[in-house]
Each structure stands twice: as C-alpha cells, then as structure tokens.
Amino acid sequence: SLSGDGGDELFGGYVTYQANRYHHFMQYLPMSVKKMLMSCSNYLPTSFNKLSLDYKIKQFLRGSLLSEEQAHLSWREIFNRQQKKILFRNEYNALSQSNSIDTELHWFADVRDCHALDQAMYVDMKTWLVDDILVKVDRASMAHSLEVRAPFLDHRIVEFAASLPVSYKISGRNGKRILKTSQQKILPSHVLRQPKRGFNSLIDHWLANDLFAMAHDITTSQQLTQWFNKKTIET
C-alpha cells in the first residue's frame, strides 16, 4: 500500500506553517492584549471536529505568548506541562516534570541559517513525522500484515524539496503549491481543492460516550488502557 506521508512536511501542507507566519504579526501586540485574547478564547464553544476553529484559535493564541520556535512546537502539544501535572498520578511525577518542547528545540539549531518556515518543516520531519505519523501507520498496518511504503520519503525527493524556495511550497494560504501545480493536468480540479483530511482515532467520541464514566474513575486506569489499545488497533 502507498502512503502520502511526508508530503506535508516536505512541501508545507500543514496549517501550522500558516500559523507560523501569523505569529510574526502577533508580536506587534502588547503581551497584555495577547493574554486578554487568550483568556477570552476559553469561552468559545468546544467542538469535536478535527482541527476545529475553536481549537485552532486557542492553540494559536497560547503559542502567541511564546517564541517562534516554542510556539511551533506547542501547536503539536495535546497537553501542556501544567495539564500533565494535573492528569498524571503521583508515580508519574517524573513524566509530569518533563517538557517535550525543551527537548525538541535543539533541532532548530541544525538549520538556523534557513528560512523560518524551512526550519519548521525540518523540525517536523525530525519529530512529528518520525515519532507520530510514521509510527501510527506502521503499527496499524503491521497489525494486519500490510506493507506500507511512503514514496515522498525517497531521499531524492526529500533533497529536492529541501532545495526549493519557500515560495514554491507555501503561497498565501496555499500549501504544497508546487505539488498541486504539478498535478493540474492529471487530477480533476475538485481533487486539488479538497480540504485537508487526516487520520485519527475517535478518542474524543470514546471519552464523551462509552468511556465517560470509566475515564473519571482512577481505579479503572488499567482497564481503560487495555480498551484504548484494542480500539486503536481495530480503528
């Protein structure tokens, strides 16, 4: 089976790269204004839609309080350090003290002389792609004895993408610009205009329905973990 994994990291397809650009303009606002906006965002209604507008606004405003590098990494976080301290039980205090952002910032230093968006894409390849995207696909496919290959990750394509100017990848709100342009004579226009869709487990719906009571009962944590593992493989 062929996978399109790597296309977003190589050619600027993620909405977080747009957020990186907007982050620059947010730095002209006083910190007090940014904190006020973040506080107001807590009153937005919560949606279960993937990358819903309320989620993107809240994540972006939280990142606007951080440096450009820290902000980019924070947009990948599910739980920040303070939330981990609340969620983890006492025996996991060591985990609650760790901060993934601190450990991943060093990747930016490897490409310090590159364009800021190229830096972000490089860091995503070194973190998000290898530690999440490829792991998820490999586990799900191997659970069913299915071989998956990612043609975009051929080293020649990776090297080609790295040599391109950012404007070839991201133009305005259009990500993966060169990739889409190269396929205009091959793919129907409605395919090229399709909104981005990702693959994710239905954890939000599980926690709101089947697992609601169990998630609030700390004595069933082991049972909850087993249920999650089984459902993730099935999904």
Side-chain angles (χ1 to χ4, degrees):
S1 179
L2 297 181
S3 164
D5 291 331
D8 290 307
E9 291 82 0
L10 293 175
F11 297 103
Y14 287 129
V15 69
T16 49
Y17 303 134
Q18 304 292 339
N20 277 67
R21 301 170 69 197
Y22 300 142
H23 180 275
H24 173 75
F25 298 106
M26 287 291 289
Q27 303 319 300
Y28 292 101
L29 294 178
M31 181 63 73
S32 59
V33 174
K34 290 188 285 187
K35 288 184 177 180
M36 181 191 69
L37 291 173
M38 190 177 75
S39 178
C40 292
S41 71
N42 293 326
Y43 294 97
L44 291 173
T46 300
S47 168
F48 281 162
N49 295 331
K50 183 178 175 65
L51 289 179
S52 59
L53 180 61
D54 62 286
Y55 173 81
K56 287 189 284 189
I57 290 175
K58 292 174 183 176
Q59 286 290 84
F60 175 75
L61 291 175
R62 185 163 67 90
S64 72
L65 306 179
L66 307 172
S67 70
E68 188 173 14
E69 293 87 355
Q70 290 175 321
H72 180 74
L73 294 174
S74 76
W75 292 322
R76 295 292 190 202
E77 280 191 321
I78 303 299
F79 301 109
N80 59 38
R81 181 183 291 183
Q82 187 60 37
Q83 290 169 328
K84 290 176 184 177
K85 289 181 180 179
I86 297 172
L87 287 169
F88 287 146
R89 295 170 61 180
N90 291 335
E91 57 265 39
Y92 294 109
N93 275 337
L95 285 176
S96 67
Q97 296 301 318
S98 67
N99 188 355
S100 60
I101 289 181
D102 293 339
T103 61
E104 293 173 354
L105 278 173
H106 73 278
W107 290 114
F108 283 96
D110 289 351
V111 286
R112 183 59 63 196
D113 296 331
C114 296
H115 190 286
L117 291 177
D118 276 327
Q119 291 182 35
M121 285 182 259
Y122 173 82
V123 171
D124 283 348
M125 282 188 276
K126 289 293 189 178
T127 56
W128 178 250
L129 179 65
V130 297
D131 293 333
D132 183 283
I133 303 299
L134 296 181
V135 173
K136 175 176 60 180
V137 172
D138 191 53
R139 286 180 178 174
S141 59
M142 287 294 95
H144 299 280
S145 302
L146 176 65
E147 293 286 347
V148 175
R149 295 292 178 261
F152 281 125
L153 297 182
D154 183 288
H155 70 92
R156 291 161 293 190
I157 297 180
V158 174
E159 291 165 2
F160 168 71
S163 71
L164 296 173
V166 168
S167 59
Y168 280 41
K169 307 169 190 177
I170 303 173
S171 177
R173 297 179 61 187
N174 184 27
K176 295 191 282 192
R177 179 187 179 191
I178 189 173
L179 194 59
K180 294 175 181 177
T181 302
S182 70
Q183 301 302 306
Q184 283 181 345
K185 295 182 179 180
I186 301 173
L187 297 175
S189 59
H190 73 273
V191 172
L192 296 174
R193 293 197 305 267
Q194 282 289 317
K196 182 170 177 55
R197 300 174 186 173
F199 296 97
N200 60 303
S201 299
L202 305 177
I203 294 175
D204 49 357
H205 294 281
W206 296 342
L207 290 174
N209 296 285
D210 295 5
L211 293 180
F212 184 83
M214 191 185 299
H216 287 75
D217 184 356
I218 199 168
T219 63
T220 60
S221 58
Q222 184 176 6
Q223 182 183 359
L224 181 62
T225 301
Q226 294 172 346
W227 193 95
F228 263 115
N229 290 339
K230 180 176 180 293
K231 276 291 185 180
T232 301
I233 292 176
E234 289 176 354
T235 303

